[in-house]
Amino acid sequence: MAIKECLLNGKKCFEVYVNGHDQRGRRIQRRKTRVETKAKAEKIEFELKRELAQIKEQRVPFRWHEWFDECMKRMRLEFMPSTVATYQQLLKWVHPHWRDKEIHTITKNDCYELIYHKCEKLPSQFTRRNILKMVKRLFQMAVEEGLIDRNPFAGIVIRVAEVEQKVLTNVEVETFLREARLSYHRFYPVWLMALMTGMRSGEMFALKWSDIDLDAKTISVTKQWTSKNGICATKSRKTRVVPISEDLSKFLKEYKLRSDYADHVLPRLSEWEHGEQSRVTREFCVGIGITAVKFHDLRATFITNLLARGESLARVMSMVGHSEIKTTNGYLRKAGVDVQGGTDKLGYKVPIVHDGNIIQIVGRQK
């Protein structure tokens, strides 16, 4: 900040220069030239300082790329690195269209234009739906911050066909485990644990013998492993206890005696570490002639099997670590429990025909 004396056409005058920063730290400059007197220059300097002070107190509107960066900073404190990386990867489709647009000026029409037209080259409807979900979340954060009055994405929905969840029947499970054991398949203990506990892949990979109480017949699920995050909290960020059945207890006691994996319960398989467990599982199923399921479908098999046999929704939800009951409800529909016996009250039945002699009726010949 300065008042500088200078000459203009041989006549003395003054130049006033003031600089400051806005609320987000961006530099602001103000300059006034050709001021006739020093007293006037000092008055102008005072007014410019006052203007900059007011600007510093004002909330500067966020542009899209600025708000995105701010949201990522906040999410890094709350979410796993893989979640932040997914936001950065998917929302790169949005940046070219909204980069310098102030978020308070984005309307519902802009949202429709983005989702249904500007992002039309997205690889799938699922990707478009995920982008919608993410952008909607960032705008909701802006609403909660008081930056905008309402979420312009509210009410916009992308409907996609529900992916069919495959599960193995009881007979197929028995075939699957029997063939895996007879062939000494390297994934046998992993598959068995998945089908007997319903644990997620990352939870089983991180499982240690110290997490298992063979006397109490319980497993404490406290962590998971992912290729991006390493060892971290479970998906729901909560710990839970999974009961061990008599069959699994017997297997684990025998397995522990011959285990070569030190602290870890299950083998360190390269395909598992590189995320290829679904391919291995599917190929094995095809090879033995049963439904070609993915690795995660073993967890679905566990859930639907329990629900189909009358286990309570709340108890299953607790065992598998679902944070929302609607997730478990989806498996309930798959198991068909909610509709069992629904056709027993029909007012008609299959006709009963008793066996008897067949009489051929032949018309009179003319």
Side-chain angles (χ1 to χ4, degrees), residues 7 31 55 87 106 133 161 189 210 214 260 302 319 349:
L7 290 174
R31 187 188 301 272
I55 290 175
Y87 270 77
I106 296 175
K133 180 180 178 180
S210 57
L214 290 173
D260 298 325
F302 171 86
M319 281 191 287
K349 298 181 180 181

Side-chain angles (χ1 to χ4, degrees), residues 301-312:
T301 298
F302 171 86
I303 296 171
T304 54
N305 196 290
L306 286 179
L307 292 172
R309 277 153 185 75
E311 189 58 81
S312 72

Side-chain angles (χ1 to χ4, degrees), residues 45-57:
E45 182 187 35
F46 176 79
E47 293 296 332
L48 292 180
K49 287 180 180 179
R50 188 170 182 274
E51 180 187 343
L52 293 187
Q54 290 175 336
I55 290 175
K56 191 171 183 178
E57 293 300 318

Side-chain angles (χ1 to χ4, degrees), residues 185-346:
H185 199 287
R186 60 197 179 283
F187 265 85
Y188 171 67
V190 182
W191 288 335
L192 178 67
M193 185 69 75
L195 285 164
M196 300 297 278
T197 67
M199 291 172 64
R200 298 181 177 95
S201 174
E203 295 170 345
M204 291 190 293
F205 194 91
L207 188 65
K208 293 187 175 183
W209 286 110
S210 57
D211 300 318
I212 298 179
D213 188 334
L214 290 173
D215 293 327
K217 295 182 180 178
T218 58
I219 299 173
S220 296
V221 183
T222 61
K223 55 192 175 297
Q224 67 172 348
W225 176 89
T226 71
S227 58
K228 292 182 179 179
N229 303 320
I231 297 295
C232 55
T234 61
K235 186 176 181 180
S236 65
R237 294 184 176 271
K238 297 179 181 179
T239 61
R240 69 182 190 277
V241 173
V242 178
I244 298 175
S245 68
E246 193 63 44
D247 280 349
L248 181 59
S249 176
K250 182 179 178 181
F251 167 80
L252 288 174
K253 287 176 181 177
E254 296 174 355
Y255 183 69
K256 187 176 183 180
L257 295 175
R258 48 189 170 83
S259 176
D260 298 325
Y261 308 108
D263 294 337
H264 288 98
V265 176
L266 297 169
R268 310 289 89 186
L269 304 172
S270 61
E271 297 100 327
W272 200 7
E273 291 188 60
H274 293 94
E276 298 177 4
Q277 62 271 21
S278 283
R279 176 186 60 78
V280 175
T281 305
R282 189 167 50 248
E283 288 177 353
F284 183 75
C285 290
V286 171
I288 61 175
I290 64 174
T291 302
V293 296
K294 297 179 293 185
F295 187 89
H296 188 70
D297 295 332
L298 303 182
R299 172 175 162 87
T301 298
F302 171 86
I303 296 171
T304 54
N305 196 290
L306 286 179
L307 292 172
R309 277 153 185 75
E311 189 58 81
S312 72
L313 194 66
R315 197 172 182 191
V316 173
M317 180 181 176
S318 175
M319 281 191 287
V320 299
H322 286 162
S323 56
E324 296 183 4
I325 197 167
K326 66 179 182 180
T327 306
T328 320
N329 263 325
Y331 292 97
L332 189 67
R333 291 193 299 273
K334 179 67 179 177
V337 176
D338 53 342
V339 295
Q340 282 182 359
T343 58
D344 291 345
K345 296 180 181 180
L346 283 172

Side-chain angles (χ1 to χ4, degrees), residues 76-89:
R76 286 188 187 97
L77 300 176
E78 184 180 354
F79 298 98
M80 295 180 185
S82 58
T83 301
V84 177
T86 301
Y87 270 77
Q88 293 172 325
Q89 176 66 24

